[in-house]
Amino acid sequence: MAEAFGGLLRRLRHAAKLTIEELAHASGVSVRAIGDMERGTSRGPQRRTVEALAVALRLGDAQRSALSEAARAGRPRQEAPAPGACELPRGVGDFTGRAWELRALRELSGRAGDEEAAVVAAISGAAGIGKTALAVRAVGQVPELFPDGRFYLDLRGMDPVPLEPGTALSRLLKALGVAERRIPADEEERAGHYRALLRERRCLIILDNAAHEGQVRALLPSSGPVMTLITSRRPLAGLEGAHQFPLEHLAAEEAAALLRTIVGTERAEADPDGVTQVASLCGNLPLALRIAGNRLQSRPGWTVGQLAARLGNEGRRVESLAAGDLSVAAAFALSYRQLSPSARQCFRRLALVAAPDFGVPMTAVLAELGLAEAEDALEELVDLGLLQSPYLARYRFHDLVRLFARARLSEEEPIESQRRARRRMDDWLLEVATVAGRWFEPDYGAPPPGWDSLVELDTAGQAQEWLQVEGEAWLAALRQAARVGEHARVVEVAEAMHWFSDLWMHWGHWPEVFALSAAAARAMDDPGLEAVHLNYLSWAQTYCQARYDEAEATALRALELARDIGDVRQQGWALIYATWSLWARDDQQSKESGMSYTRQAAECFQQVGDMDGYAQAMISIGNCLRRLGRVEESVQHNLALLDRLRDPSFGGSPAIVNQAVGSTLDLVGDGYFTLGRWQEAADHYRQALREMRERPISRAMATSLTNLGKALVRLEQVEQAREAFREAVELFESAGDTARVAWVRKELGQITQAAGSVTDPQSAA
C-alpha cells in the first residue's frame, strides 16, 4: 500500500533540508497548501502541483513516481458522471463579437488550480444581451483544461420561485456522479460534500441565470482546480473574489456582422444598408438580432429592407421582434416582474422623458417619490438591466427597453394619469430652467429665498451645469408648452435664457428656443415683445447657425415692429443685431451698412437714455471702423469710449457697463495688434480679461486669450503665450466650440515657429 501523501512529502522535504517556506518559494505552491498536504487535510493534490513539488525537491525517478502514486491514492474515487445530467446547452455557430471577454475568460480558466481560491467569474447584463451564449462559447474553447467535466445548471433566477440552493446542489452532485442515496439531506453538509469533490477535480461549472448572490454562494467551491461561470441580469457585486464581466451591447459593426452571418452572405450583400438599418433598429441587442435574422430566414420572400420598414414602426417594434418562442418583449417582461412596485412605476413613467438620459430629481417628480426612494428605484432598474447608468447619477434606456416601458405605461396607467405625470414633469422642468437661467440675468441672480425644487442651484456653476445636462429635457417641455398654447410661459423661459445663451453659444437649439418665444409673443398680439424675441432669434441665427442673410432679415423685421409701435429702444437693439449679422461678410457694402445701422442705433439709445444700449452701439462703431480699415481712428474712438464708460456720470447698469469696458479694451487690443504694436496689444488684452472675468462669457474670453497668446508670441514671451492658448482651449471646449478648439491647438503646436507664421488675430473670431 502506498505511503500517505502527507507523510511522504514531509519525509522528502526533511531529506532535502528545506523548510515549508523554502519549499513554497522553490515550487510556487503556497505555504498554506503545503501545510494542508503534510497535515493530511489535502490528501491528493493535482498532477501539476505534485510535479512542481518534485522539481523543487530535486527528486529522482523512483521518488517522483512514489510521490505521484501517493497523490493518486489520496484522491477520492471519481464516480462516473450521471449521463445527461447538467449537460452544456448547444452553442451557437454564428457567435459574433466579445473578443476581449473571451480572451479574459480563457486566461482565467488557465489559472484554475494555480491559486488557493477557486476561480469565479460573473457575467452580467440586460435581458437578451448574450450572457449565456458567451459563457457556453468560453467553455467550448477550453475543453482540454477541464478533463473531469464541464457542467451547466439553469438557476431560473427570473422565475417567480428561483431554484433553491439545496436543489441546485443535489443536481450538481448527481452530475458529478454521486448516487442519490449518498447525497446528504442537510443543505450545509451537501455544500461541504460538493466542495470536497471539486477540491480535487478539474471541472468547469456554468451557473446560468442567477437570481442574486445568496442563491449562488453555497454553489461556489472554496478551492481546487475548478472554475465557475455565473450569469445573471443583476451585477452580483456582493460576491467576494469574483471576476466581474458586465456586458454592453454589441458595437454597430459587430451587430451588423452577426445579422449578416444569420441571414447569409448573399442576402446581406443584396441590401447592405438594410442590414445596417435592421441592426440599428434592434439596438445592437443580440437577442433582437437573432430574432430578426430568424424571421428573415423563415420568410425567404422578404428583403432585409422590408423587415427594416416593419421595425420602423415604433409602436409595433418590440412586438415584431418575436420568432417562435423567442421574444424581446417576453425577455424584458421577466425582468419587469421582478421589480418592486415603486421601481415598476418609475420604469413606466420614465418612458415620458423625451431626453436621452435623466437624473434622480426628474424621476422623483414623475413617480411622486422622495429623492432617496427615487434613487433606490433607479438602481433597482439598473441591477435588472432595464436601465443603463452611463455615469454617476445619470440613467438612460436602451431604445427597445424604452419602447417596452412605453407599452407598459399605455397598458397599465389610465391616460389621465399619464397626462398628469407629463404635466408635472414639464412644469418642474420649466420652473427650474427659469430659475437657473435667471442666475445670469443682471437683475436676478440667485434663486429667491426659500426656493426649493429638488435640485441645488446655490451657485451660477450649479445653474449652468443643470441647464446643460437637462437641456434636451427642458427644451422638450418648452416645445410642449408652445404646442398647448402656454405662450406667456414660453416667453418667460426664453427671456430667462437670454444672458445664459452667451455662455453656451454652440448648443444647437437656441434658434428653436427663440423662434418659439417670438411665435408665442406674436400669438399674444404683443408686437413689442415679439420684436425683443425676434432680436434674440437674429442673434442665434448669426452666432449659432451662421445664417447671416436670414439673421439680418429677422432683425429688420424686429425693427419694423418696433417702429410701428414707436419703441425707440427696441429699434436700437434691432439695428445692433442687424449690424452683427453683417460682420461675417467682407464686402464693402456690408461694412458700410453695418456702420450705418450702428450709428442709427446709438442715436436711438441716446434718445431714450438707454446707456447700456448706447455702450453697445459705441463699441460696435469702433469695431465697424476697424473693419472698414480705419484702424487708427478705431483705436482713438475706443480709447475715448473707455474714458466715458469709466466716468461715474455715464450711468447704466454696473454689470453691463463693466462688461462694455472689457469689450472695448479687447477692441483696443485688436487695433494695436493690427498696427503691429504688440506690447500695447498684449497690455490691453490683459486689462480686458480682468474685466471679463467679473462676468465671464467663455467665447469672448477665449477669443481674447487667443489674441493675447499671438501677441505674446510676437513679443517672444513663449511660456506666457502657451498659458494663454491653453486657457483658451479650455474655454472653447467648455463652450462646445470644437472648430476653434482645433484652431487654437494648431496655434499652440506652432508656438515656437517664426512670428510671421501666425495668422491675423480676427481669423479665429
Side-chain angles (χ1 to χ4, degrees):
M1 181 175 178
E3 183 178 357
F5 183 84
L8 178 58
L9 176 62
R10 185 184 303 108
R11 183 164 58 79
L12 292 170
R13 178 174 62 77
H14 287 164
K17 298 182 179 179
L18 294 175
T19 65
I20 289 180
E21 289 77 9
E22 288 169 337
L23 179 56
H25 178 74
S27 65
V29 180
S30 71
V31 170
R32 177 181 171 183
I34 294 173
D36 285 348
M37 293 174 204
E38 292 193 357
R39 286 191 300 273
T41 305
S42 174
R43 300 179 180 182
Q46 290 297 309
R47 287 185 290 274
R48 277 195 297 178
T49 302
V50 175
E51 182 63 26
L53 292 168
V55 170
L57 292 166
R58 299 182 179 179
L59 301 181
D61 290 344
Q63 290 175 317
R64 187 182 297 240
S65 177
L67 193 65
S68 296
E69 180 59 31
R72 276 195 296 273
R75 293 178 193 134
R77 184 171 61 87
Q78 293 191 17
E79 300 178 65
C86 294
E87 281 289 314
L88 292 177
R90 184 174 67 88
V92 292
D94 49 21
F95 186 92
T96 302
R98 309 297 188 201
W100 179 88
E101 289 85 354
L102 286 169
R103 281 195 302 273
L105 288 168
R106 185 177 183 89
E107 180 187 335
L108 274 179
S109 64
R111 288 158 53 184
D114 293 342
E115 302 175 3
E116 289 186 20
V119 173
V120 178
I123 302 170
S124 59
I129 207 163
K131 301 178 292 295
T132 303
L134 172 62
V136 173
R137 182 74 165 190
V139 170
Q141 289 189 340
V142 289
E144 74 285 353
L145 296 180
F146 301 99
D148 296 330
R150 295 171 295 155
F151 305 97
Y152 170 90
L153 183 62
D154 184 355
L155 298 179
R156 311 191 71 83
M158 291 295 105
D159 285 8
V161 181
L163 196 67
E164 292 291 335
T167 305
L169 283 165
S170 179
R171 292 184 185 177
L172 288 166
L173 286 168
K174 287 179 185 176
L176 288 166
V178 179
E180 189 164 354
R181 67 180 182 279
R182 294 181 55 203
I183 296 175
D186 181 75
E187 184 178 314
E188 191 172 334
E189 290 183 19
R190 200 176 293 180
H193 190 37
Y194 175 69
R195 287 194 291 270
L197 279 177
L198 291 180
R199 193 177 295 126
E200 306 298 341
R201 298 193 187 186
R202 186 168 288 281
C203 295
L204 194 149
I205 313 247
I206 296 178
L207 302 175
D208 193 29
N209 193 15
H212 46 72
E213 293 91 339
Q215 187 189 26
V216 298
R217 278 201 177 94
L219 311 180
L220 300 181
S222 56
S223 60
V226 64
M227 179 175 182
T228 306
L229 276 180
I230 310 164
T231 75
S232 177
R233 296 189 186 187
R234 299 180 186 274
L236 303 184
L239 285 182
E240 303 85 351
H243 300 270
Q244 297 288 345
F245 289 85
L247 293 190
E248 299 292 337
H249 294 82
L250 293 175
E253 300 80 8
E254 292 175 332
L258 174 58
L259 192 57
R260 281 194 297 270
T261 305
I262 297 171
V263 304
T265 304
E266 183 178 346
R267 207 164 175 191
E269 287 181 351
D271 190 359
D273 291 341
V275 169
T276 302
Q277 190 177 3
V278 169
S280 177
L281 290 168
C282 288
N284 300 336
L285 182 70
L287 174 62
L289 293 161
R290 172 77 50 199
I291 291 169
N294 289 356
R295 291 200 73 182
L296 285 168
Q297 281 188 315
S298 65
R299 291 164 176 79
W302 283 18
T303 67
V304 182
Q306 286 171 333
L307 177 60
R310 290 176 68 90
L311 295 177
N313 180 352
E314 282 195 353
R316 294 285 303 159
R317 186 180 305 162
V318 174
E319 289 74 12
S320 296
L321 287 169
D325 62 351
L326 290 178
S327 166
V328 167
F332 293 160
L334 288 173
S335 294
Y336 182 67
R337 287 200 292 268
Q338 301 286 317
L339 296 172
S340 64
S342 58
R344 204 173 290 181
Q345 179 169 278
C346 280
F347 178 73
R348 293 192 303 266
R349 292 186 180 175
L350 284 168
L352 295 168
V353 177
D357 56 56
F358 38 85
V360 176
M362 194 188 306
T363 305
V365 170
L366 273 170
E368 299 175 275
L369 296 171
L371 288 174
E373 293 85 355
E375 185 173 18
D376 289 345
L378 288 165
E379 289 300 318
E380 186 179 343
L381 289 165
V382 172
D383 282 349
L384 276 164
L386 290 172
L387 283 182
Q388 301 163 350
S389 184
Y391 45 93
L392 184 65
R394 299 300 295 178
Y395 304 85
R396 69 183 178 205
F397 280 113
H398 179 270
D399 289 346
L400 293 178
V401 179
R402 184 191 293 274
L403 296 178
F404 176 75
R406 192 178 296 169
R408 297 274 60 75
L409 179 69
S410 177
E411 291 182 19
E412 298 181 31
E413 295 204 26
I415 189 65
E416 200 50 47
S417 171
Q418 297 176 43
R419 286 174 179 158
R420 284 196 301 270
R422 173 66 187 268
R423 180 57 186 251
R424 193 165 54 250
M425 174 181 67
D426 287 349
D427 286 349
W428 177 79
L429 283 166
L430 295 179
E431 177 198 347
V432 179
T434 303
V435 173
R438 283 176 173 165
W439 246 112
F440 308 95
E441 294 285 327
D443 296 333
Y444 286 93
W451 181 85
D452 178 29
S453 192
L454 303 180
V455 295
E456 291 184 5
L457 299 180
D458 296 332
T459 67
Q462 289 176 328
Q464 180 170 351
E465 181 181 4
W466 188 91
L467 287 167
Q468 291 178 337
V469 168
E470 301 292 0
E472 295 291 334
W474 65 254
L475 176 60
L478 189 70
R479 290 174 183 142
Q480 178 65 11
R483 276 194 293 270
V484 299
E486 295 181 353
H487 305 308
R489 182 160 222 181
V490 171
V491 169
E492 179 187 41
V493 174
E495 185 64 49
M497 296 299 152
H498 171 49
W499 282 74
F500 170 68
S501 60
D502 274 331
L503 301 179
W504 197 24
M505 189 178 297
H506 291 276
W507 187 50
H509 299 292
W510 293 123
E512 181 182 2
V513 169
F514 296 126
L516 289 172
S517 60
R522 185 163 56 254
M524 294 166 69
D525 195 23
D526 189 332
L529 201 55
E530 184 182 356
V532 170
H533 287 267
L534 283 172
N535 280 328
Y536 298 164
L537 175 57
S538 175
W539 167 87
Q541 290 166 339
T542 294
Y543 290 103
C544 304
Q545 294 180 310
R547 290 161 58 178
Y548 305 115
D549 291 345
E550 194 171 340
E552 183 185 14
T554 301
L556 294 179
R557 171 60 184 154
L559 177 63
E560 182 182 349
L561 288 171
R563 282 175 174 163
D564 287 345
I565 60 172
D567 187 338
V568 177
R569 179 177 180 274
Q570 209 51 236
Q571 291 174 41
W573 281 113
L575 288 160
I576 289 293
Y577 285 110
T579 301
W580 292 348
S581 73
L582 297 174
W583 281 353
R585 306 176 191 169
D586 200 34
D587 60 283
Q588 188 67 17
Q589 182 179 346
S590 296
K591 293 174 182 177
E592 290 175 357
S593 295
M595 178 61 82
S596 173
Y597 285 157
T598 199
R599 287 194 186 282
Q600 292 177 61
E603 292 172 6
C604 289
F605 290 130
Q606 206 166 20
Q607 181 180 335
V608 295
D610 183 345
M611 301 314 291
D612 293 340
Y614 180 73
Q616 289 298 318
M618 297 303 288
I619 291 168
S620 295
I621 288 172
N623 208 347
C624 287
L625 287 168
R626 188 179 60 80
R627 289 174 183 275
L628 284 164
R630 295 153 62 179
V631 182
E632 291 278 8
E633 188 179 350
S634 170
V635 170
Q636 294 308 312
H637 169 89
N638 290 323
L639 289 171
L641 177 59
L642 279 173
D643 290 339
R644 294 190 65 187
L645 292 171
R646 287 167 168 162
D647 187 334
S649 66
F650 181 81
S653 163
I656 295 174
V657 171
N658 287 344
Q659 189 174 16
V661 168
S663 298
T664 307
L665 284 163
D666 192 58
L667 284 173
V668 173
D670 289 347
Y672 282 135
F673 192 103
T674 304
L675 294 169
R677 293 160 66 172
W678 318 123
Q679 187 61 60
E680 289 162 294
D683 291 344
H684 283 83
Y685 286 138
R686 286 194 177 105
Q687 292 177 54
L689 285 162
R690 281 197 292 272
E691 298 291 339
M692 290 178 182
R693 292 184 199 281
E694 293 294 316
R695 194 174 183 83
I697 296 176
S698 297
R699 182 181 178 277
M701 286 181 58
T703 301
S704 191
L705 281 160
T706 302
N707 293 336
L708 170 61
K710 291 187 291 186
L712 292 170
V713 168
R714 297 326 201 267
L715 293 167
E716 299 182 0
Q717 297 176 20
V718 175
E719 282 308 312
Q720 293 180 47
R722 279 201 185 98
E723 274 185 41
F725 284 141
R726 285 175 186 143
E727 188 179 354
V729 166
E730 290 176 8
L731 290 170
F732 278 136
E733 283 179 338
S734 71
D737 193 339
T738 55
R740 288 181 175 84
V741 166
W743 192 92
V744 180
R745 284 192 188 281
K746 183 179 177 183
E747 288 290 310
L748 193 54
Q750 297 174 346
I751 197 169
T752 55
Q753 294 182 5
S757 66
V758 182
T759 58
D760 180 81
Q762 294 310 307
S763 60

